Amino acid sequence: DRATIAAGHGTWWRLADVLDGNGALVGRTLYAGRAAKTTLTMALGTESMARGPVGGLLVVTNDDGRDGEIRVVDISKGCSWVVHRDANVVRSAILDPASGTAYAHLVQRETRVDLGVFQLSGGDPEAALEQVLQPLPTQADLGRIWATELRLNADGSALAAQSCSDKGCLTRVVAVTAFGRPVSMVKGKANDAVDGQGSIIGFAGDRLITWSFCAGMPCAVQSWAGGAQKPTKLADRAIGAGLTRDGRFLVVLDDLTGRAVRLDLAGNTIATIAGVNPGELPLSPSVTATSGLDVADDQVGFASQGGDPHSLAPGSAAVIP
């Protein structure tokens, strides 16, 4: 419920690489806690990731070279439990805390062939998964897919699976709570800086917010309608972007001024706001993230390199004239 989810706000996590004497990566360590207190430390393999936290819960995937597993971590209680084990590699997972449903992207262990996206079927870690999205068919214009990202919309009714290559991305959105689980696709032009799709930021209602297809920062931020092949540009030269979980506000850091700009996606207004310190960037919920902060639906998490994370409510932030 909402009270339980709100109780987790302020919890955090971070991943630290573990290196051997020759500087080779041999594992990772997960640290999690609240404020200055670390409540949990967990040793992980090199192929591992963490997503969240939401409601104080963190979903973690780990692989020992033989089996993959998905764990849910309760940060405040300092404990974790396995919710799924698989002979294949679990590349990433995402948790809907309201329903308790988790989704996972799997690849075949030996070949790394995409197996699709699955829903965890219950409390038995050995139970078979239920497929909600088939493997992506070959895309001649994109070529080999190197990365897959998962995102849930605000109420958990839609799951986005974004597939990216070095030529761009496409996103399939499956209505996971609808009969038949219909799927729609959002795809731009490959190798196109204007109409190409970059990595996903999140949902804003029924629209997807993504980066444009660009080689580095600064980069444009885009909005995509369902089934669209051309985006709407929201910001031109951003060096960071964060979206509130309710999809109402997008905060971008402008490359030219270094200031935070708030876009009200519902009210169609824009303003420069206070509350973001120099060197800070929005915390990304991507599969490659190394830290996270549990914030309210109307907030965005920020942190600097080596600094403590903090939350910002864009809607109530002071406006800079």
Side-chain angles (χ1 to χ4, degrees), residues 277-283 291 302-310:
N277 300 314
E280 290 183 337
L281 291 171
L283 291 170
S291 62
F302 284 85
S304 60
Q305 185 69 33
D308 292 331
H310 69 91

Side-chain angles (χ1 to χ4, degrees), residues 9-316:
H9 296 165
T11 53
W12 56 265
W13 64 272
R14 65 181 178 88
L15 283 172
D17 291 342
V18 179
L19 307 178
D20 65 13
N22 296 319
L25 180 66
V26 294
R28 312 178 87 183
T29 302
L30 171 72
Y31 301 92
R34 184 192 293 273
K37 182 179 181 181
T38 300
T39 57
L40 178 140
T41 302
M42 182 185 296
L44 301 172
T46 57
E47 190 157 18
S48 56
M49 57 76 60
R51 293 287 293 270
V54 182
L57 298 178
L58 183 65
V59 61
V60 175
T61 68
N62 190 39
D63 196 275
D64 63 6
R66 299 180 302 277
D67 295 290
E69 68 175 23
I70 304 172
R71 284 183 174 270
V72 173
V73 175
D74 188 322
I75 296 176
S76 62
K77 295 180 181 178
C79 64
S80 71
W81 59 96
V82 177
V83 293
H84 181 69
R85 292 189 182 92
D86 207 288
N88 297 298
V89 177
V90 185
R91 290 290 297 130
S92 66
I94 193 169
L95 175 69
D96 177 7
S99 66
T101 303
Y103 302 91
H105 171 235
L106 271 63
V107 297
Q108 206 279 335
R109 179 167 299 278
E110 288 77 20
T111 64
R112 297 295 167 130
V113 169
D114 183 17
L115 297 176
V117 179
F118 298 80
Q119 177 180 319
L120 273 65
S121 55
D124 181 2
E126 309 299 333
L129 298 179
E130 180 183 357
Q131 190 170 58
V132 297
L133 201 56
Q134 297 286 333
L136 179 71
T138 300
Q139 305 292 310
D141 56 342
L142 292 180
R144 185 172 184 178
I145 299 300
W146 294 101
T148 300
E149 281 282 356
L150 303 179
R151 291 287 192 283
L152 282 163
N153 68 347
D155 64 5
S157 63
L159 173 71
Q162 186 187 59
S163 304
C164 295
S165 73
D166 58 354
K167 299 178 182 179
C169 307
L170 66 83
T171 304
R172 292 175 293 166
V173 180
V174 53
V176 290
T177 60
F179 177 76
R181 290 175 171 161
V183 178
S184 63
M185 182 181 292
V186 179
K187 181 180 181 182
K189 296 180 179 179
N191 273 325
D192 192 307
V194 176
D195 292 334
Q197 185 181 132
S199 58
I200 189 170
I201 298 172
F203 276 95
D206 59 357
R207 300 176 72 89
L208 291 176
I209 309 300
T210 76
W211 291 99
S212 67
F213 175 66
C214 53
M217 298 299 178
C219 191
V221 179
Q222 306 166 327
S223 170
W224 299 80
Q229 295 183 340
K230 290 178 69 68
T232 298
K233 184 185 290 186
L234 297 177
D236 191 22
R237 295 178 56 87
I239 56 174
L243 184 67
T244 55
R245 194 158 50 233
D246 61 15
R248 173 68 183 270
F249 294 104
L250 173 71
V251 179
V252 298
L253 300 184
D254 185 83
D255 174 53
L256 298 178
T257 66
R259 290 183 169 182
V261 178
R262 178 189 70 198
L263 287 80
D264 183 341
L265 301 179
N268 198 29
T269 61
I270 185 169
T272 301
I273 58 172
V276 179
N277 300 314
E280 290 183 337
L281 291 171
L283 291 170
S284 169
S286 74
V287 69
T288 58
T290 57
S291 62
L293 177 68
D294 194 341
V295 299
D297 287 352
D298 62 347
Q299 296 178 334
V300 176
F302 284 85
S304 60
Q305 185 69 33
D308 292 331
H310 69 91
S311 62
L312 173 71
S316 57

